[in-house]
Each structure stands twice: as structure tokens, then as C-alpha cells.
Amino acid sequence: MTTLSWAEPYKIKMVELIKMTSREDRLRAIREAGYNTFLLRSEDVYIDLLTDSGVGAMSDRQWAGIMMGDEAYAGSRNFYHLRDTVEEYYSYKYTVPCHQGRGAENILSQLLISPGDYVPGNMYFTTTRLHQELAGATFVDVIIDEAHDAESEHPFKGNVDFDKLDALLDEVGAEKIPYICIATCVNMAGGQPISLENLKRLRRWCDEHGIMFVHDMTRVAENAYFIQRRENGYQNKTIREIVYEICALSDAATMSSKKDAMVNIGGFLAMNDARFYERACALVVVYEGLHTYGGMAGRDMEALAIGITESVQDDHIHARVGQVLYLGRKIRAADIPIVNPIGGHAVFLNATKMLPHIPQEHFPAQALSAALYVESGVRSMERGIVSAGRDKATGKNHRPKLELVRLTIPRRVYTQAHMDVTANAVEEVVKRRDEIKGLRFTYEPEMLRFFQARFEQID
Ligand code: PLI
């Protein structure tokens, strides 16, 4: 029974101690980290909102599953449990385990893309686009314009714009579009959902043009929550039913199980076509491992199978998104600009508005993220021009309209008091915003630069 309160449907059985550091410690740490929060040691972090990936708290049942690991090289019973769970909850007939989401993206991109192809998607994701590009494709953004506007209150900012999709089709032809890649609860847009109406229309479009529909289902349960709350006709459906309905519209999926499914490591590629499965099995052995473990330990596949069942429970998802909404509303109430509507996995601060004195080429979101850490020990992540990287053809910086700092909430980890501390920390850093300086690169990696780039302050 879903109640009005988002109170957690669990109690705490084990805790991990964390400690607060001094401002001097944090200043030293961020300088040593080249102003990149990815390069901090986690021991120097108080509240870690870098990501929701692989950092959720597993349940006692999942930990019991760890003890049930069958570590046979081939044909582990945990693989069959995982495969059956994927089919039961997500509809896909065949499952190829991978070590995490990008492992699945690599296999998918290599199998489906030929050099010169185009892959449309509802906004880029860093690793997804990179694997498409490494396989020779060009990513084309077909998300609605509202998704690029932090202030638009559109309830389904993850929706596909069919005019953009048709324009691409007219320009390059269906034979150059091997598939469309659609993310549920679009990460880079601020954790924004896609509607079932839009997904159904996309299914018809794909059938009409003979184009495959691939689903990045990393945060599908959170997307289902917004459908249940916002889309006509779904109020009385369960999250589990909505998740199944979403998945059943697509032909294949990549999954980073480190998010929705609350495991520390793991993912998969799933599909309905037997021939595609055969080809994926042939390739997974090259990069990940045998097709019955693909880079995952048996115990991790067991924890994942259990995590999937927990991730679609209404009470769980209500509490999970409820906590994100709680933090977002608190920050918004202090007149701090964030992406609206508040998303499913994170609150995104609008750095463009918060730091108008820093031009985008001096990385305002990166600077704000570093300043928030120094202020409070809260670790966040840049999601703006640094994350967007460079255009593969021109070498110039992509210049995304959204220049954001992401406060990402791990699942089942932090308490309401931690959210209060975080909101206060953001308020404090806003008070000192004029002191925040822009940054420039001292080291810029060629690929996925945001992970390991280093910066210095511009005086
Ligand atoms: O981190 P991986 O390789 O398990 O998954 C890659 C990945 C694919 N799709 C989407 C939508 C993601 O959000 C994603 C990973 N996201 C990370 C690590 C994040 O911090 O958001």
C-alpha cells in the first residue's frame, strides 16, 4: 500500500561510519584532485552524492543471495535465475550478463553499427554515445526541446520529438539508422521521464520503418513512477506492471544494474531475437566472459535477480523518488535554481544561473561542484560542458544548454537529516558564490574526459 508519506519501507540493520573533515583538509584534497570530484578519495567525503551507480544499499535478501553464489565457470544456477527474472519482470527473452552498462553498450554497438551510420537517441549519455562513435556512428539528439530547458515544467521531458526523427530519416534514410536508443528517466536531462504514449508511438514508427528499438533501461523503475503519477490511465497500475509494459515495447535493452536494481556491480544486454542473442553470445566471450556470466560473479547475478524484484515494488520507488523530491523541494524553497520538474535520481543545480560571472568555457558547473565540496564535504558531479566532451568531427567542445551540478541520491543509503545537511550546504555555497573562480584544464583526457580531467583556478 502506497501511503502519502515517502517514509522508507525498511529499517537499518547495519551502518557504515562516515566522518566530517575540516575545511583545510578539504581545500587540500580538492587541489590535489585537480578540482575534479572524481579524483577525491571517498574517505575525504562526508555525504557522497557523486552518483547513484553501484552505491545503493543491498537488502538482507540480496546479501543472503551473495551467499548462494554458484561460482561455476559455466552454467551457474544464478545465471538461470537472473535470466528468468529478466524475462518475468522486463519481458526480454534472452539475457547476456555484462560487467556493467558500458560493457553491454560495447557489445550492442559493435554488433549493430556500421561505419557511417546514425543513432538517434533522447539526449546523449556519455558512455552510450562514445561506444556508438567508436563503432563508427554519429549520435543524433531527437529529444524534445523542452529537455534542454532547465525551467520547462513539461511532465515528460524525456519524450522523443518525431519531427526531429522524421527529419533524420529523410536526410539519411532508414538503411543508415540501425536502431534508435531510448533511455528511460533521461539522466542528462535531469532524470526526466518519457511517457508511455510517446513510447508506443515510437514502437509504431520503428515498425513502419524497419528500425530496431533499443531501450537503455538503467532507470526504468523511476520512469514508471512518473508515469503512474502523471500519465492518464496509469494511476491504478503497479510499478511492476508499468515497467513490464515499457520494456515490452522495445526489441532489446542495455542495463546498468548498478542503479535501479541496487547492486554494486553488474549489467546486461537483453533481447527477444534468437539470432541477435547468438551473435551477442559470440562477442561477449571476447570482452566480458562466457555468456553465462559475462564479467559477473555468480553471487552478483543472484543479488541482481533479487534486486530486480525489489526495484519494482511501489513502496520502494515511492520512498526512493520521494527522497529526491524532498531534497529538491528544500533547495528550490531557498530560491536556488534547479532543473524542473525534479527528476527521479538526482537534484540538478543550474550552474549557469548560479554563477553568471563564469562563462561556460571556464566550466561553472565543475567549479561549483568543487566549491560545494570545500564548503561542506558533500560530493557532487559536473553535468555540463566538461561531461559533454568534444565533437568527434570538429574537435570543438560540445556546448550543452544545460550546465548542471548533479546531487545524485544513492538508493536506501542516506537519511532525511543527510538531505537537510545537503540543502544547507548548497545554501551556504550560494552565499559565497562571488568568490567561486572559473577553471581551465591542466590535463584533458581524449575520451570521457570528465572522469579524470584536472583543472586549475583562473585568477
Ligand atoms: O556505469 P555503467 O557502465 O554501469 O552504465 C553506463 C550507463 C548507461 N546509461 C545510463 C543512462 C547511465 O546513467 C549509465 C551510467 N551512469 C552513471 C555512472 C552515472 O553516474 O549516472
PDB file of all heavy atoms in Angstrom, residues 97-108:
ATOM      1  N   PRO A  97      24.683 -11.462 -19.585  1.00  0.00           N
ATOM      2  CA  PRO A  97      25.250 -10.656 -18.493  1.00  0.00           C
ATOM      3  C   PRO A  97      26.503  -9.916 -18.962  1.00  0.00           C
ATOM      4  O   PRO A  97      27.235 -10.410 -19.826  1.00  0.00           O
ATOM      5  CB  PRO A  97      25.627 -11.700 -17.424  1.00  0.00           C
ATOM      6  CG  PRO A  97      24.975 -12.964 -17.842  1.00  0.00           C
ATOM      7  CD  PRO A  97      24.758 -12.894 -19.318  1.00  0.00           C
ATOM      8  N   CYS A  98      26.724  -8.734 -18.405  1.00  0.00           N
ATOM      9  CA  CYS A  98      27.919  -7.941 -18.704  1.00  0.00           C
ATOM     10  C   CYS A  98      28.405  -7.344 -17.389  1.00  0.00           C
ATOM     11  O   CYS A  98      27.626  -7.238 -16.444  1.00  0.00           O
ATOM     12  CB  CYS A  98      27.596  -6.807 -19.669  1.00  0.00           C
ATOM     13  SG  CYS A  98      27.086  -7.396 -21.293  1.00  0.00           S
ATOM     14  N   HIS A  99      29.666  -6.903 -17.369  1.00  0.00           N
ATOM     15  CA  HIS A  99      30.182  -6.447 -16.069  1.00  0.00           C
ATOM     16  C   HIS A  99      29.475  -5.188 -15.601  1.00  0.00           C
ATOM     17  O   HIS A  99      29.317  -4.963 -14.416  1.00  0.00           O
ATOM     18  CB  HIS A  99      31.703  -6.265 -16.112  1.00  0.00           C
ATOM     19  CG  HIS A  99      32.154  -5.011 -16.779  1.00  0.00           C
ATOM     20  ND1 HIS A  99      32.190  -4.857 -18.141  1.00  0.00           N
ATOM     21  CD2 HIS A  99      32.574  -3.834 -16.265  1.00  0.00           C
ATOM     22  CE1 HIS A  99      32.628  -3.644 -18.434  1.00  0.00           C
ATOM     23  NE2 HIS A  99      32.867  -3.000 -17.322  1.00  0.00           N
ATOM     24  N   GLN A 100      29.019  -4.335 -16.535  1.00  0.00           N
ATOM     25  CA  GLN A 100      28.174  -3.187 -16.185  1.00  0.00           C
ATOM     26  C   GLN A 100      27.596  -2.637 -17.469  1.00  0.00           C
ATOM     27  O   GLN A 100      27.765  -3.226 -18.545  1.00  0.00           O
ATOM     28  CB  GLN A 100      28.932  -2.149 -15.362  1.00  0.00           C
ATOM     29  CG  GLN A 100      30.146  -1.522 -16.016  1.00  0.00           C
ATOM     30  CD  GLN A 100      30.877  -0.576 -15.068  1.00  0.00           C
ATOM     31  OE1 GLN A 100      31.628  -1.013 -14.223  1.00  0.00           O
ATOM     32  NE2 GLN A 100      30.660   0.725 -15.224  1.00  0.00           N
ATOM     33  N   GLY A 101      26.905  -1.483 -17.390  1.00  0.00           N
ATOM     34  CA  GLY A 101      26.167  -0.980 -18.551  1.00  0.00           C
ATOM     35  C   GLY A 101      27.026  -0.776 -19.780  1.00  0.00           C
ATOM     36  O   GLY A 101      26.649  -1.174 -20.890  1.00  0.00           O
ATOM     37  N   ARG A 102      28.208  -0.176 -19.600  1.00  0.00           N
ATOM     38  CA  ARG A 102      29.013   0.131 -20.777  1.00  0.00           C
ATOM     39  C   ARG A 102      29.556  -1.124 -21.451  1.00  0.00           C
ATOM     40  O   ARG A 102      29.873  -1.098 -22.646  1.00  0.00           O
ATOM     41  CB  ARG A 102      30.114   1.139 -20.433  1.00  0.00           C
ATOM     42  CG  ARG A 102      31.202   0.652 -19.571  1.00  0.00           C
ATOM     43  CD  ARG A 102      31.942   1.798 -18.921  1.00  0.00           C
ATOM     44  NE  ARG A 102      31.152   2.399 -17.863  1.00  0.00           N
ATOM     45  CZ  ARG A 102      31.567   3.418 -17.088  1.00  0.00           C
ATOM     46  NH1 ARG A 102      32.751   3.950 -17.273  1.00  0.00           N
ATOM     47  NH2 ARG A 102      30.794   3.900 -16.143  1.00  0.00           N
ATOM     48  N   GLY A 103      29.657  -2.215 -20.730  1.00  0.00           N
ATOM     49  CA  GLY A 103      30.027  -3.495 -21.346  1.00  0.00           C
ATOM     50  C   GLY A 103      28.942  -3.910 -22.332  1.00  0.00           C
ATOM     51  O   GLY A 103      29.226  -4.351 -23.466  1.00  0.00           O
ATOM     52  N   ALA A 104      27.695  -3.754 -21.929  1.00  0.00           N
ATOM     53  CA  ALA A 104      26.564  -4.081 -22.808  1.00  0.00           C
ATOM     54  C   ALA A 104      26.519  -3.120 -23.996  1.00  0.00           C
ATOM     55  O   ALA A 104      26.235  -3.521 -25.135  1.00  0.00           O
ATOM     56  CB  ALA A 104      25.262  -4.004 -22.010  1.00  0.00           C
ATOM     57  N   GLU A 105      26.830  -1.846 -23.741  1.00  0.00           N
ATOM     58  CA  GLU A 105      26.815  -0.855 -24.828  1.00  0.00           C
ATOM     59  C   GLU A 105      27.883  -1.176 -25.874  1.00  0.00           C
ATOM     60  O   GLU A 105      27.657  -1.002 -27.076  1.00  0.00           O
ATOM     61  CB  GLU A 105      27.075   0.544 -24.253  1.00  0.00           C
ATOM     62  CG  GLU A 105      25.910   1.066 -23.422  1.00  0.00           C
ATOM     63  CD  GLU A 105      26.256   2.332 -22.635  1.00  0.00           C
ATOM     64  OE1 GLU A 105      27.459   2.653 -22.494  1.00  0.00           O
ATOM     65  OE2 GLU A 105      25.315   2.993 -22.168  1.00  0.00           O
ATOM     66  N   ASN A 106      29.020  -1.654 -25.408  1.00  0.00           N
ATOM     67  CA  ASN A 106      30.091  -2.022 -26.338  1.00  0.00           C
ATOM     68  C   ASN A 106      29.635  -3.156 -27.257  1.00  0.00           C
ATOM     69  O   ASN A 106      29.756  -3.060 -28.483  1.00  0.00           O
ATOM     70  CB  ASN A 106      31.335  -2.433 -25.533  1.00  0.00           C
ATOM     71  CG  ASN A 106      32.467  -2.927 -26.410  1.00  0.00           C
ATOM     72  OD1 ASN A 106      32.653  -2.455 -27.529  1.00  0.00           O
ATOM     73  ND2 ASN A 106      33.217  -3.902 -25.919  1.00  0.00           N
ATOM     74  N   ILE A 107      29.068  -4.201 -26.678  1.00  0.00           N
ATOM     75  CA  ILE A 107      28.632  -5.357 -27.479  1.00  0.00           C
ATOM     76  C   ILE A 107      27.538  -4.917 -28.462  1.00  0.00           C
ATOM     77  O   ILE A 107      27.586  -5.226 -29.654  1.00  0.00           O
ATOM     78  CB  ILE A 107      28.062  -6.480 -26.564  1.00  0.00           C
ATOM     79  CG1 ILE A 107      29.017  -6.830 -25.424  1.00  0.00           C
ATOM     80  CG2 ILE A 107      27.666  -7.714 -27.376  1.00  0.00           C
ATOM     81  CD1 ILE A 107      30.210  -7.613 -25.771  1.00  0.00           C
ATOM     82  N   LEU A 108      26.568  -4.190 -27.944  1.00  0.00           N
ATOM     83  CA  LEU A 108      25.451  -3.725 -28.787  1.00  0.00           C
ATOM     84  C   LEU A 108      25.970  -2.895 -29.961  1.00  0.00           C
ATOM     85  O   LEU A 108      25.602  -3.147 -31.123  1.00  0.00           O
ATOM     86  CB  LEU A 108      24.505  -2.868 -27.939  1.00  0.00           C
ATOM     87  CG  LEU A 108      23.353  -2.218 -28.709  1.00  0.00           C
ATOM     88  CD1 LEU A 108      22.187  -3.176 -28.794  1.00  0.00           C
ATOM     89  CD2 LEU A 108      22.903  -0.917 -28.052  1.00  0.00           C
TER      90      LEU A 108
END
